[in-house]
């Protein structure tokens, strides 16, 4: 990829804004008035996996959270706040956790290296490996094992989303949001739905992580 001069970013932005208002002078006024996206996307920070572009959607269509390795750690106030806001205030209908093959975060978690501050973050992915060690260790081809860990990480992060009270409460009362797991293949540009059975995963999660009281009322835990 060629380097883009810093000043050019503003020229690009002005050109982009002009293209938006060319046939639609009210475009930005409308955009500024509100947001009501149906989708919350949780993906990797990787520069090659831009949420809106791979979904083919416009500004205003998707609420986005990205971090290294598309992880939803249970003590991460950032991810938790995004989910809380997306579900309780924006009323998103779908939450998507999207991983991608060739993920540097997942690759780093497969290696025996001290990565300093990244260690505790990537430990979330190492924990996914440990949970699925039998299946992963049985895959002899390293690149296939790497790809499978990308997929299993997505599934486990979907489970982490489902563990939150706001998602359980909203689904109990409104039948939404549905949680989906996707993987983007950088080499082909293909977006794949892992077709997670949300209802089944919810039941599985709630055997241990049920935060709703038996009367169907919202619990106090968050
Ligand atoms: Zn990545």
């Amino acid at each position: 990829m060629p380097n883009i001069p810093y000043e050019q970013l503003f020229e690009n932005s002005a050109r982009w804004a002009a293209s938006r208002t060319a046939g639609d002078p009210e475009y930005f006024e409308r955009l500024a008035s509100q947001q009501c996206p149906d989708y919350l996307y949780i993906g990797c920070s990787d520069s090659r996996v831009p949420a809106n572009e791979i979904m083919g959607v416009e500004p205003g269509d998707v609420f986005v959270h990205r971090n290294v390795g598309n992880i939803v750690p249970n003590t991460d106030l950032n991810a938790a706040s995004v989910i809380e806001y997306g579900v309780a205030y924006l009323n998103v209908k779908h939450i998507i956790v999207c991983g991608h093959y060739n993920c540097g975060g997942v690759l780093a978690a497969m290696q025996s290296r001290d990565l300093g501050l990244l260690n505790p973050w990537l430990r979330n992915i190492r924990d996914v490996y440990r949970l699925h060690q039998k299946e992963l260790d049985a895959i002899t081809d390293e690149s296939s094992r790497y790809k499978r860990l990308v997929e299993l990480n997505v599934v486990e992060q979907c489970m982490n989303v489902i563990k939150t009270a706001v998602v359980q409460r909203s689904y109990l009362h409104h039948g939404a949001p549905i949680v989906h797991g996707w993987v983007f293949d950088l080499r082909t540009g293909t977006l794949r739905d892992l077709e997670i059975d949300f209802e089944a995963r919810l039941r599985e999660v709630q055997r241990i992580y049920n935060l709703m009281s038996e009367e169907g009322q919202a619990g106090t835990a968050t």
Side-chain angles (χ1 to χ4, degrees):
M1 296 286 170
N3 287 333
I4 302 166
Y6 178 78
E7 295 73 21
Q8 197 184 314
L9 300 178
F10 292 90
E11 292 168 24
N12 289 354
S13 181
R15 215 170 14 248
W16 170 78
S19 76
R20 290 292 160 137
T21 50
D24 184 2
E26 317 293 317
Y27 179 80
F28 286 106
E29 265 180 58
R30 208 169 49 249
L31 199 61
S33 66
Q34 62 164 338
Q35 66 162 338
C36 50
D38 283 338
Y39 300 97
L40 162 57
Y41 170 101
I42 301 170
C44 184
S45 295
D46 194 302
S47 63
R48 302 164 297 177
V49 193
N52 288 56
E53 279 84 349
I54 66 167
M55 295 168 77
V57 298
E58 297 294 320
D61 288 336
V62 58
F63 193 53
V64 174
H65 177 70
R66 292 169 69 181
N67 60 39
V68 174
N70 42 269
I71 301 168
V72 184
N74 62 358
T75 54
D76 181 19
L77 195 56
N78 189 350
S81 301
V82 170
I83 294 168
E84 184 79 22
Y85 189 74
V87 175
Y89 296 93
L90 296 176
N91 302 312
V92 297
K93 296 181 178 66
H94 303 270
I95 300 179
I96 296 143
V97 176
C98 184
H100 68 103
Y101 298 134
N102 299 87
C103 181
V106 172
L107 183 62
M110 288 179 77
Q111 295 169 344
S112 305
R113 284 178 64 194
D114 178 357
L115 291 163
L117 189 61
L118 279 166
N119 291 336
W121 188 258
L122 295 176
R123 190 183 303 146
N124 291 289
I125 304 177
R126 291 185 196 272
D127 288 343
V128 172
Y129 196 112
R130 185 168 53 81
L131 274 172
H132 298 274
Q133 189 166 7
K134 205 171 166 192
E135 177 187 344
L136 288 164
D137 282 353
I139 303 171
T140 49
D141 176 54
E142 197 169 333
S143 105
S144 303
R145 191 161 69 240
Y146 175 24
K147 281 184 156 185
R148 187 61 186 145
L149 181 55
V150 166
E151 294 165 4
L152 290 170
N153 182 45
V154 166
V155 173
E156 288 300 331
Q157 303 315 321
C158 285
M159 303 281 267
N160 285 345
V161 171
I162 299 170
K163 286 172 195 168
T164 63
V166 70
V167 168
Q168 292 183 23
R169 186 185 305 119
S170 179
Y171 190 74
L172 180 68
H173 295 303
H174 310 296
I178 306 290
V179 179
H180 310 268
W182 293 357
V183 173
F184 183 67
D185 188 338
L186 281 172
R187 288 181 192 277
T188 60
T190 314
L191 191 56
R192 192 177 137 220
D193 190 342
L194 294 176
E195 294 181 0
I196 285 166
D197 184 337
F198 173 70
E199 286 271 355
R201 293 290 179 176
L202 180 68
R203 280 195 299 274
E204 186 184 340
V205 161
Q206 286 190 322
R207 265 181 234 138
I208 296 170
Y209 305 90
N210 190 354
L211 302 179
M212 301 299 103
S213 73
E214 285 174 9
E215 295 79 32
Q217 297 301 308
T220 52
T222 53

